[in-house]
């Protein structure tokens, strides 16, 4: 079974300028992903980027940068699936065979090589169509409210039946975006999730997804 690591990292960003190369504790954000890949069981990984700076950063970690990400797939509204479909065609054109793409987004710098290795083991043992990582929600949906015209209400009407978290009648999880795995036959169907889908649960401390400057301060302390 051949599993290829994929790091999608365009150079643009709305929330933080040049987010993927933003320095956190003297390392660019994306380097934290490169470091964990180098320590993992992954034998082959590709950077999907339109940035020469990011390609240069990937070279010391032996991340393949031969794929050229087109400008039309490097916009704010470009979907992950669109990029993977294009990358799949590029692999086929270059006679590079694979079974799974293991997607590692650089905005998850606290993700460990242990998580990558565990997912690889799951793929080899259970052979799912797809997988994504999750963690327990920091806030339960029953504790969420919505506000409209200065009036509030519970997001889930049933929430008013509960006052203590330990009484909630279901456990809540969050798709943390740290790891996705997709079999080639699912990508060729132009999908991200297949019928045989598996969830990989990660601890909260390794599940932080960086979106804004406030997140940077939290992640900076965790990585120290």
């Amino acid at each position: 079974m051949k599993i290829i690591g994929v790091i999608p990292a365009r150079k643009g960003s709305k929330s933080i300028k040049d987010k993927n190369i933003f320095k956190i504790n003297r390392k660019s954000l994306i380097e934290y992903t490169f470091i964990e890949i180098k320590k993992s069981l992954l034998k082959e990984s590709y950077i999907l980027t339109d940035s020469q700076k990011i390609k240069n950063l990937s070279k010391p970690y032996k991340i393949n940068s031969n794929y050229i990400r087109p400008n039309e797939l490097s916009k704010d509204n470009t979907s992950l699936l669109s990029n993977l479909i294009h990358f799949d065609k590029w692999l086929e054109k270059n006679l590079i065979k694979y079974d799974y793409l293991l997607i590692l987004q650089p905005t998850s710098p606290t993700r460990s090589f242990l998580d990558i290795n565990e997912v690889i083991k799951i793929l080899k043992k259970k052979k799912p169509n797809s997988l994504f990582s999750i963690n327990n929600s920091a806030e339960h949906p029953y504790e969420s409210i919505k506000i409209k015209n200065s009036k509030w209400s519970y997001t889930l009407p049933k929430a008013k039946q509960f006052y203590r978290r330990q009484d909630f009648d279901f456990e809540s999880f969050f798709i943390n975006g740290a790891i996705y795995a997709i079999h080639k036959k699912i990508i060729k169907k132009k999908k991200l999730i297949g019928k045989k889908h598996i969830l990989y649960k990660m601890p909260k401390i390794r599940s932080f997804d960086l979106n804004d400057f406030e997140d940077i301060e939290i992640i900076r302390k965790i990585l120290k």
Side-chain angles (χ1 to χ4, degrees):
M1 179 184 290
K2 185 175 181 180
I3 301 168
I4 290 180
V6 175
I7 310 99
R10 66 186 184 88
K11 62 183 176 183
S13 175
K14 277 187 175 181
S15 56
I16 301 170
K17 186 179 179 181
D18 298 325
K19 180 165 63 176
N20 288 318
I21 58 174
F22 189 91
K23 287 290 182 71
I24 300 178
N25 299 347
R26 298 185 179 181
K27 286 187 180 70
S28 296
L29 173 63
I30 199 166
E31 286 188 86
Y32 289 97
T33 294
F34 293 159
I35 290 167
E36 298 307 306
I37 287 175
K38 191 173 182 180
K39 292 189 288 186
S40 77
L41 296 172
L42 278 172
K43 302 300 182 184
E44 187 174 352
S45 297
Y46 290 79
I47 183 75
L48 276 54
T49 186
D50 57 332
S51 167
Q52 189 58 49
K53 286 184 179 179
I54 292 176
K55 286 189 176 187
N56 292 342
L57 284 171
S58 72
K59 289 178 182 178
Y61 301 96
K62 297 182 179 179
I63 306 293
N64 192 307
S65 61
N66 291 338
Y67 170 77
I68 299 173
R69 182 169 176 166
N71 291 332
E72 62 267 23
L73 292 178
S74 303
K75 299 178 180 179
D76 291 336
N77 60 353
T78 300
S79 68
L80 172 62
L81 180 58
S82 297
N83 205 183
L84 295 180
I85 291 171
H86 188 270
F87 179 59
D88 169 72
K89 291 178 180 177
W90 181 86
L91 290 172
E92 189 173 1
K93 182 180 178 181
N94 287 274
L95 305 179
I96 301 169
K97 295 182 178 180
Y98 74 97
D99 295 289
Y100 288 95
L101 295 184
L102 184 60
I103 297 95
L104 304 167
Q105 304 199 92
T107 50
S108 298
T110 61
R111 175 216 308 110
S112 168
F113 75 95
L114 298 173
D115 298 306
I116 298 172
N117 289 351
E118 190 59 33
V119 167
I120 290 173
K121 291 175 185 177
I122 291 171
L123 296 179
K124 289 182 176 181
K125 183 178 180 180
K126 298 188 177 181
K127 299 177 175 59
N129 295 147
S130 55
L131 172 151
F132 57 58
S133 56
I134 61 171
N135 61 273
N136 285 92
S137 299
E139 293 83 21
H140 195 281
Y142 281 158
E143 297 173 315
S144 176
I145 65 169
K146 54 186 175 181
I147 302 174
K148 187 176 182 179
N149 298 326
S150 300
K151 294 183 179 180
W152 74 273
S153 62
Y154 288 110
T155 302
L156 298 180
K158 195 177 178 181
K160 55 189 175 184
Q161 298 179 22
F162 303 98
Y163 295 96
R164 303 187 308 165
R165 182 175 275 251
Q166 56 265 44
D167 295 332
F168 294 164
D169 59 354
F170 71 91
E171 195 173 4
S172 175
F173 295 90
F174 178 75
I175 302 171
N176 61 24
I179 302 175
Y180 293 88
I182 311 165
H183 195 276
K184 62 180 179 182
K185 65 183 180 182
I186 301 301
I187 293 175
K188 291 187 183 300
K189 290 180 180 179
K190 299 182 178 180
K191 295 181 179 180
L192 286 177
I193 299 176
K195 290 183 178 179
K196 188 179 178 183
H197 184 75
I198 286 181
L199 305 175
Y200 171 64
K201 187 177 178 182
M202 290 173 59
K204 289 181 184 179
I205 196 69
R206 300 207 299 265
S207 298
F208 281 87
D209 182 46
L210 192 155
N211 290 303
D212 52 38
F213 284 101
E214 190 172 1
D215 291 338
I216 287 175
E217 292 308 311
I218 296 171
I219 288 171
R220 179 175 281 128
K221 291 177 182 178
I222 292 172
L223 291 173
K224 278 185 177 180

